[in-house]
PDB file of all heavy atoms in Angstrom:
ATOM      1  N   GLY A  75      32.602  12.130  17.830  1.00 98.00           N
ATOM      2  CA  GLY A  75      31.208  12.351  18.306  1.00 98.00           C
ATOM      3  C   GLY A  75      30.576  11.000  18.571  1.00 98.00           C
ATOM      4  O   GLY A  75      29.474  10.993  19.143  1.00 98.00           O
ATOM      5  N   SER A  76      31.229   9.923  18.225  1.00 98.00           N
ATOM      6  CA  SER A  76      30.608   8.607  18.428  1.00 98.00           C
ATOM      7  C   SER A  76      30.965   7.933  19.681  1.00 98.00           C
ATOM      8  O   SER A  76      31.987   8.058  20.349  1.00 98.00           O
ATOM      9  CB  SER A  76      31.168   7.623  17.254  1.00 98.00           C
ATOM     10  OG  SER A  76      30.733   6.400  17.436  1.00 98.00           O
ATOM     11  N   HIS A  77      29.998   7.169  20.190  1.00 98.00           N
ATOM     12  CA  HIS A  77      30.262   6.344  21.397  1.00 98.00           C
ATOM     13  C   HIS A  77      31.286   5.340  21.192  1.00 98.00           C
ATOM     14  O   HIS A  77      31.922   4.745  22.096  1.00 98.00           O
ATOM     15  CB  HIS A  77      28.945   5.603  21.801  1.00 98.00           C
ATOM     16  CG  HIS A  77      27.960   6.545  22.283  1.00 98.00           C
ATOM     17  ND1 HIS A  77      26.609   6.136  22.366  1.00 98.00           N
ATOM     18  CD2 HIS A  77      27.958   7.817  22.704  1.00 98.00           C
ATOM     19  CE1 HIS A  77      25.840   7.220  22.871  1.00 98.00           C
ATOM     20  NE2 HIS A  77      26.673   8.250  23.032  1.00 98.00           N
ATOM     21  N   THR A  78      31.620   5.070  19.895  1.00 98.00           N
ATOM     22  CA  THR A  78      32.652   4.072  19.560  1.00 98.00           C
ATOM     23  C   THR A  78      33.807   4.696  18.955  1.00 98.00           C
ATOM     24  O   THR A  78      34.534   4.045  18.049  1.00 98.00           O
ATOM     25  CB  THR A  78      32.049   2.869  18.656  1.00 98.00           C
ATOM     26  OG1 THR A  78      31.350   3.516  17.510  1.00 98.00           O
ATOM     27  CG2 THR A  78      31.163   1.961  19.348  1.00 98.00           C
ATOM     28  N   TYR A  79      34.069   5.955  19.280  1.00 98.00           N
ATOM     29  CA  TYR A  79      35.364   6.584  18.876  1.00 98.00           C
ATOM     30  C   TYR A  79      36.557   5.720  19.367  1.00 98.00           C
ATOM     31  O   TYR A  79      36.465   5.161  20.520  1.00 98.00           O
ATOM     32  CB  TYR A  79      35.453   7.939  19.557  1.00 98.00           C
ATOM     33  CG  TYR A  79      36.773   8.623  19.298  1.00 98.00           C
ATOM     34  CD1 TYR A  79      37.271   8.832  18.138  1.00 98.00           C
ATOM     35  CD2 TYR A  79      37.496   9.123  20.533  1.00 98.00           C
ATOM     36  CE1 TYR A  79      38.512   9.516  17.955  1.00 98.00           C
ATOM     37  CE2 TYR A  79      38.666   9.806  20.325  1.00 98.00           C
ATOM     38  CZ  TYR A  79      39.226  10.026  18.993  1.00 98.00           C
ATOM     39  OH  TYR A  79      40.405  10.677  18.932  1.00 98.00           O
ATOM     40  N   LEU A  80      37.544   5.454  18.503  1.00 98.00           N
ATOM     41  CA  LEU A  80      38.647   4.608  18.754  1.00 98.00           C
ATOM     42  C   LEU A  80      38.150   3.087  18.884  1.00 98.00           C
ATOM     43  O   LEU A  80      38.762   2.337  19.586  1.00 98.00           O
ATOM     44  CB  LEU A  80      39.422   5.055  20.025  1.00 98.00           C
ATOM     45  CG  LEU A  80      40.014   6.444  19.951  1.00 98.00           C
ATOM     46  CD1 LEU A  80      40.829   6.798  21.234  1.00 98.00           C
ATOM     47  CD2 LEU A  80      40.982   6.616  18.697  1.00 98.00           C
ATOM     48  N   ASN A  81      36.970   2.863  18.394  1.00 98.00           N
ATOM     49  CA  ASN A  81      36.488   1.462  18.465  1.00 98.00           C
ATOM     50  C   ASN A  81      36.304   1.009  19.883  1.00 98.00           C
ATOM     51  O   ASN A  81      36.450  -0.151  20.145  1.00 98.00           O
ATOM     52  CB  ASN A  81      37.284   0.509  17.609  1.00 98.00           C
ATOM     53  CG  ASN A  81      37.233   0.849  16.119  1.00 98.00           C
ATOM     54  OD1 ASN A  81      36.154   1.004  15.590  1.00 98.00           O
ATOM     55  ND2 ASN A  81      38.268   0.799  15.458  1.00 98.00           N
ATOM     56  N   LYS A  82      35.995   1.880  20.760  1.00 97.00           N
ATOM     57  CA  LYS A  82      35.814   1.551  22.258  1.00 97.00           C
ATOM     58  C   LYS A  82      34.665   0.754  22.387  1.00 97.00           C
ATOM     59  O   LYS A  82      33.505   1.065  22.170  1.00 97.00           O
ATOM     60  CB  LYS A  82      35.795   2.867  23.045  1.00 97.00           C
ATOM     61  CG  LYS A  82      35.758   2.679  24.545  1.00 97.00           C
ATOM     62  CD  LYS A  82      35.976   3.863  25.253  1.00 97.00           C
ATOM     63  CE  LYS A  82      34.942   4.972  25.027  1.00 97.00           C
ATOM     64  NZ  LYS A  82      35.165   6.262  25.618  1.00 97.00           N
ATOM     65  N   LYS A  83      34.918  -0.527  22.956  1.00 98.00           N
ATOM     66  CA  LYS A  83      33.869  -1.461  23.213  1.00 98.00           C
ATOM     67  C   LYS A  83      33.595  -1.507  24.696  1.00 98.00           C
ATOM     68  O   LYS A  83      34.420  -1.783  25.459  1.00 98.00           O
ATOM     69  CB  LYS A  83      34.195  -2.814  22.689  1.00 98.00           C
ATOM     70  CG  LYS A  83      33.097  -3.796  22.590  1.00 98.00           C
ATOM     71  CD  LYS A  83      33.637  -5.133  22.104  1.00 98.00           C
ATOM     72  CE  LYS A  83      32.595  -5.834  21.111  1.00 98.00           C
ATOM     73  NZ  LYS A  83      33.207  -7.028  20.633  1.00 98.00           N
ATOM     74  N   THR A  84      32.313  -1.133  25.030  1.00 98.00           N
ATOM     75  CA  THR A  84      31.964  -1.194  26.441  1.00 98.00           C
ATOM     76  C   THR A  84      30.652  -2.035  26.544  1.00 98.00           C
ATOM     77  O   THR A  84      29.965  -2.319  25.487  1.00 98.00           O
ATOM     78  CB  THR A  84      31.619   0.218  27.008  1.00 98.00           C
ATOM     79  OG1 THR A  84      30.523   0.711  26.356  1.00 98.00           O
ATOM     80  CG2 THR A  84      32.762   1.167  26.828  1.00 98.00           C
ATOM     81  N   PRO A  85      30.065  -2.287  27.740  1.00 98.00           N
ATOM     82  CA  PRO A  85      28.820  -2.969  27.778  1.00 98.00           C
ATOM     83  C   PRO A  85      27.716  -2.300  26.956  1.00 98.00           C
ATOM     84  O   PRO A  85      26.988  -2.926  26.274  1.00 98.00           O
ATOM     85  CB  PRO A  85      28.461  -2.990  29.259  1.00 98.00           C
ATOM     86  CG  PRO A  85      29.803  -2.959  29.998  1.00 98.00           C
ATOM     87  CD  PRO A  85      30.737  -2.174  29.079  1.00 98.00           C
ATOM     88  N   ARG A  86      27.733  -0.915  26.985  1.00 98.00           N
ATOM     89  CA  ARG A  86      26.687  -0.245  26.237  1.00 98.00           C
ATOM     90  C   ARG A  86      26.849  -0.405  24.740  1.00 98.00           C
ATOM     91  O   ARG A  86      25.807  -0.454  24.014  1.00 98.00           O
ATOM     92  CB  ARG A  86      26.786   1.256  26.639  1.00 98.00           C
ATOM     93  CG  ARG A  86      25.740   2.114  25.923  1.00 98.00           C
ATOM     94  CD  ARG A  86      25.834   3.586  26.340  1.00 98.00           C
ATOM     95  NE  ARG A  86      27.060   4.267  26.072  1.00 98.00           N
ATOM     96  CZ  ARG A  86      27.280   5.596  25.959  1.00 98.00           C
ATOM     97  NH1 ARG A  86      26.272   6.349  26.125  1.00 98.00           N
ATOM     98  NH2 ARG A  86      28.416   6.077  25.745  1.00 98.00           N
ATOM     99  N   THR A  87      28.057  -0.282  24.255  1.00 98.00           N
ATOM    100  CA  THR A  87      28.256  -0.184  22.835  1.00 98.00           C
ATOM    101  C   THR A  87      28.431  -1.612  22.103  1.00 98.00           C
ATOM    102  O   THR A  87      28.587  -1.610  20.913  1.00 98.00           O
ATOM    103  CB  THR A  87      29.507   0.594  22.540  1.00 98.00           C
ATOM    104  OG1 THR A  87      30.692   0.033  22.991  1.00 98.00           O
ATOM    105  CG2 THR A  87      29.449   2.028  23.030  1.00 98.00           C
ATOM    106  N   THR A  88      28.429  -2.661  22.833  1.00 98.00           N
ATOM    107  CA  THR A  88      28.677  -4.009  22.301  1.00 98.00           C
ATOM    108  C   THR A  88      27.915  -4.285  21.018  1.00 98.00           C
ATOM    109  O   THR A  88      28.442  -4.774  20.103  1.00 98.00           O
ATOM    110  CB  THR A  88      28.351  -5.055  23.297  1.00 98.00           C
ATOM    111  OG1 THR A  88      29.215  -4.846  24.508  1.00 98.00           O
ATOM    112  CG2 THR A  88      28.577  -6.439  22.809  1.00 98.00           C
TER     113      THR A  88
END
Side-chain angles (χ1 to χ4, degrees):
Chain A
S76 171
H77 294 161
T78 47
Y79 174 54
L80 301 180
N81 294 314
K82 186 169 59 185
K83 196 181 216 173
T84 66
R86 178 176 65 159
T87 63
T88 298

